[in-house]
Amino acid sequence: MQILRRIDEPRALARTCKSRGERVALVPTMGYLHEGHLSLVRIARQHADRVVVSLFVNPTQFGPGEDLDRYPRDFERDRALCEEAGVDALFVPEAADMYPQGFSTSVDVHGTLTKGLCGASRPGHFAGVATVVAKLFNLCEPDVAVFGQKDAQQAAVIRRFTEDLNLAVEIVVAPIVREADGLAMSSRNVYLTQDERAQAIVLKKSLGAAVALFDRGERNTAAIINEAEDIVASAPLARISYVEIVDARTLAPVDVIERPALLALAVYFGKTRLIDNTLLPPTGVL
Ligand code: PAF
């Protein structure tokens, strides 16, 4: 596996691969890899001959007071996991190369896609994500890029700017990977204390109860949200940031589910903010 640190290296690699007729996939990550990331790598492999994983804790998507400084990092472990997973190249750029002095540009997706859900409580977050992903697309020139459904709003934003900016990258969204007890895998799960970790299963439970209600014919979103919120609130350490149901395509809030919808939630346990979601009906990915 190649380790690429200079920002001109992944493009050169992609061009060499493509000159041999190979398809290149990119899996963008912020490192501290878990089984969820490795599932993205496996799916990337199904779509391409070569898989590049980028590993960059992107400072511009963290707001003031968020966890940029304490975001978990373990390069050697990430390198070993990628090697084992058969990744062809690991791209590990420096922040100073990604954002040199004078950097003044941002990719900002407007409207309902970024207004609600995490966009409401994390101003600037999706502009940070879109900007770095657009840069990674330019630097790595992938044919296809794979993102996780856990970050459903992020996936929708990335699909939007990729189409709006006519970028020739196919976006693949991969299903959420969960721990045995249902907690969605996330690098941030390591922040949880033992008690918080035990109580965090209410997230998946609340989504399950919401799906059950939907399956019994409930279409009123207030009723479904109430049910989900009650279950989350049964965990004394949980503090709800939001529980919302939005249109799966536009991410605009809906009162009555008549088209595919997304139930998304964000919940704090202590300082740790966890997100999770399900589609209603609960089939496929965004
Ligand atoms: O999902 C993530 O880990 C990040 O938001 C991404 C897509 C790698 C951009 O920094």
Side-chain angles (χ1 to χ4, degrees):
M1 183 179 71
Q2 298 184 50
I3 308 288
L4 313 176
R5 292 189 182 274
R6 288 206 333 257
I7 62 167
D8 58 344
E9 288 178 306
R11 178 178 294 140
L13 175 70
R15 291 190 180 180
T16 305
C17 294
K18 288 177 186 181
S19 72
R20 296 197 290 249
E22 295 171 347
R23 263 169 74 82
V24 177
L26 173 67
V27 179
T29 81
M30 297 206 298
Y32 213 72
L33 305 179
H34 49 67
E35 187 49 39
H37 295 111
L38 300 178
S39 80
L40 304 185
V41 169
R42 284 192 290 274
I43 289 170
R45 175 66 70 206
Q46 291 165 9
H47 289 263
D49 307 288
R50 300 282 161 199
V51 178
V52 178
V53 170
S54 65
L55 198 165
F56 179 60
V57 182
N58 173 40
T60 67
Q61 69 188 75
F62 290 79
E66 289 189 359
D67 56 345
L68 173 61
D69 294 337
R70 65 182 189 123
Y71 196 83
R73 293 164 168 89
D74 189 341
F75 175 70
E76 284 312 323
R77 185 171 157 275
D78 289 345
R79 182 220 288 256
L81 286 171
C82 284
E83 188 101 56
E84 232 170 86
V87 170
D88 295 280
L90 190 54
F91 177 42
V92 199
E94 293 290 336
D97 293 331
M98 290 294 275
Y99 299 111
Q101 226 175 4
F103 187 91
S104 316
T105 301
S106 156
V107 176
D108 207 349
V109 174
H110 307 285
T112 54
L113 283 184
T114 53
K115 201 161 156 241
L117 307 179
C118 291
S121 51
R122 302 187 72 189
H125 169 69
F126 287 112
V129 169
T131 304
V132 80
V133 172
K135 284 172 68 69
L136 290 167
F137 284 179
N138 273 327
L139 292 170
C140 302
E141 297 189 350
D143 297 291
V144 54
V146 188
F147 298 88
Q149 165 77 19
K150 185 173 78 70
D151 298 296
Q153 190 172 17
Q154 165 173 289
V157 165
I158 290 167
R159 269 197 205 291
R160 185 76 256 163
F161 81 73
T162 302
E163 191 177 327
D164 288 352
L165 299 179
N166 310 105
L167 305 182
V169 183
E170 181 194 341
I171 305 299
V172 171
V173 179
I176 297 175
V177 178
R178 298 181 178 281
E179 302 285 357
D181 65 2
L183 180 65
M185 290 200 183
S186 164
S187 305
R188 290 188 166 101
N189 291 351
V190 293
Y191 295 150
L192 299 170
T193 64
Q194 220 176 352
D195 286 348
E196 290 166 351
R197 172 66 188 80
Q199 292 185 24
I201 57 167
V202 292
L203 269 53
K204 175 67 174 86
K205 274 194 185 158
S206 71
L207 296 178
V211 167
L213 201 52
F214 177 89
D215 285 345
R216 291 201 298 274
E218 183 63 76
R219 294 294 178 268
N220 185 311
T221 57
I224 300 174
I225 289 169
N226 271 342
E227 173 90 356
E229 281 182 341
D230 282 351
I231 292 173
V232 175
S234 71
L237 297 174
R239 193 163 46 84
I240 293 175
S241 173
Y242 66 77
V243 179
E244 284 184 44
I245 298 179
V246 295
D247 182 278
R249 200 175 48 81
T250 64
L251 303 191
V254 286
D255 293 330
V256 177
I257 301 175
E258 285 162 343
R259 281 190 304 278
L262 177 78
L263 165 54
L265 49 79
V267 175
Y268 282 97
F269 286 87
K271 278 192 187 155
T272 307
R273 186 173 180 279
L274 301 180
I275 58 172
D276 204 342
N277 67 76
T278 180
L279 287 169
L280 296 173
T283 48
V285 286
L286 205 65

